[in-house]
Amino acid sequence: MIEDGASWKVFKSTLNIKQKKQIQKNFLIQKNCKPELNNIKAKISQVSSVTLNELLQKFNLPGCQSNLVNEIFNAAKVTFKNRRRYSDNWILLCLILQIRSLSGYRFLRNQNILPLPCIKTVRNDNQRKEILLLNEVYLRSSISVNSRTLSYTGLEDFGGELPSRDTQKADHGLVFMWSSLADNFTQPIAVFASKGPIKGMDLTKLVVKAIMLLEDAGAQVLGLTTDGASTNRTMWNNLDISGKIGNTNNFFCNPFDEARKVFVFSDTPYTLSH
């Protein structure tokens, strides 16, 4: 880099006529383009999200390309990278790109080709996104005494969530478990012991309560997975889930946030456990 006039004179003396003309030409181009470039930057900064969406619809861009343009504009308005905010859809696309090629993701991010968040940000955000699984299994009836609490174990127990028949031996166990979408991690969150299968309406109440508690703790429940037992089908009907031709519906509104949906999947736990 030429820092002062003396250095510039020394450097200029080493150039031939053609090189000097090229440098002068480059200076003129830069000088003429600078006002126009500043004008373009000012216009871009004034473009609102509404105007941008109207332009994208006008040119009929595909959804993925529209999302990309929106993310580029949003990133350009933020001076510091750590203050950027990304849409949920973009975070999911980034997660898919990481799965397909982690090295490619790093290259695109390091070269600033795309406004990609760091790998840790993507994974931390998606750790909160989860699937709620439930499965009911048959148990052998047995009663034992807990000497520490001086209480019986093996009786019907809903933990206060539903009325329990404390004198009935439990022969079914209902397990609620959540699974993270970003990590290979699962965690049981509730176990209920009952005499016979839990009724469909009671099961619906427990599912809604589990979603509310998970969401309140900061998780985001995106799906519900069950097997095809009759009680689960009753629960689906209560949540307006249907697989009938012409009346298919595979989701219900999230009870914690009506703007989001909870999708219902069938038979996966049964397939995995057999």
Side-chain angles (χ1 to χ4, degrees):
M1 181 180 291
I2 301 172
E3 297 180 353
D4 51 37
S7 299
W8 166 248
K9 290 180 180 179
V10 174
F11 174 74
K12 191 175 180 180
S13 63
T14 62
L15 301 176
N16 56 39
I17 297 176
K18 185 176 180 180
Q19 290 173 332
K20 290 179 181 178
K21 288 183 177 180
Q22 185 63 41
I23 290 176
Q24 291 176 354
K25 183 179 179 181
N26 292 339
F27 278 137
L28 289 175
I29 293 174
Q30 183 179 4
K31 184 177 180 180
N32 294 332
C33 290
K34 192 171 183 179
E36 185 178 355
L37 182 61
N38 291 334
N39 187 28
I40 293 174
K41 287 182 178 180
K43 289 182 179 180
I44 291 176
S45 63
Q46 294 174 359
V47 174
S48 64
S49 58
V50 177
T51 306
L52 180 60
N53 290 330
E54 290 176 353
L55 290 173
L56 295 176
Q57 292 177 0
K58 179 180 178 181
F59 291 103
N60 197 25
L61 284 179
C64 290
Q65 294 181 15
S66 298
N67 291 336
L68 174 58
V69 173
N70 276 306
E71 293 297 332
I72 291 174
F73 266 78
N74 292 335
K77 293 180 179 180
V78 180
T79 305
F80 302 101
K81 290 184 178 181
N82 58 354
R83 294 183 181 178
R84 290 180 181 176
R85 295 295 179 266
Y86 306 94
S87 65
D88 291 340
N89 190 35
W90 184 249
I91 289 291
L92 288 175
L93 288 174
C94 291
L95 181 61
I96 294 172
L97 181 57
Q98 286 185 21
I99 294 172
R100 294 297 300 270
S101 175
L102 185 58
S103 60
Y105 185 92
R106 287 173 175 164
F107 175 79
L108 293 174
R109 184 175 186 275
N110 294 337
Q111 300 300 319
N112 288 323
I113 298 174
L114 294 176
L116 301 175
C118 69
I119 295 173
K120 186 177 180 181
T121 299
V122 175
R123 293 183 177 176
N124 287 345
D125 185 83
N126 283 281
Q127 281 176 344
R128 300 186 298 114
K129 294 180 172 62
E130 61 187 39
I131 300 293
L132 178 63
L133 304 98
L134 63 92
N135 196 17
E136 193 169 36
V137 295
Y138 181 79
L139 304 175
R140 180 174 60 87
S141 298
S142 176
I143 296 180
S144 60
V145 178
N146 189 328
S147 59
R148 291 187 177 182
T149 60
L150 298 179
S151 60
Y152 292 102
T153 57
L155 300 176
E156 188 174 80
D157 185 6
F158 292 109
E161 301 297 336
L162 296 172
S164 301
R165 296 169 293 181
D166 297 336
T167 59
Q168 296 290 329
K169 291 183 180 180
D171 56 10
H172 282 73
L174 176 65
V175 181
F176 282 79
M177 183 170 64
W178 72 270
S179 177
S180 173
L181 292 178
D183 290 332
N184 186 19
F185 179 78
T186 57
Q187 175 66 49
I189 61 171
V191 179
F192 302 99
S194 65
K195 174 67 175 179
I198 298 178
K199 295 180 180 179
M201 180 54 69
D202 292 335
L203 185 58
T204 306
K205 295 177 182 178
L206 292 175
V207 167
V208 173
K209 183 67 176 292
I211 293 174
M212 294 289 287
L213 291 175
L214 286 170
E215 292 277 350
D216 187 59
Q220 293 184 11
V221 181
L222 303 184
L224 171 67
T225 305
T226 72
D227 60 24
S230 59
T231 53
N232 291 332
R233 292 182 179 276
T234 302
M235 182 259 294
W236 298 347
N237 291 332
N238 294 336
L239 296 173
D240 198 27
I241 303 299
S242 174
K244 296 180 180 179
I245 298 177
N247 188 31
T248 303
N249 182 39
N250 64 342
F251 66 87
F252 59 93
C253 291
N254 191 311
F256 190 85
D257 183 1
E258 294 183 356
R260 293 189 284 115
K261 301 174 182 178
V262 178
F263 293 89
V264 178
F265 306 92
S266 175
D267 279 340
T268 303
Y270 182 85
T271 303
L272 293 176
S273 61
H274 287 74

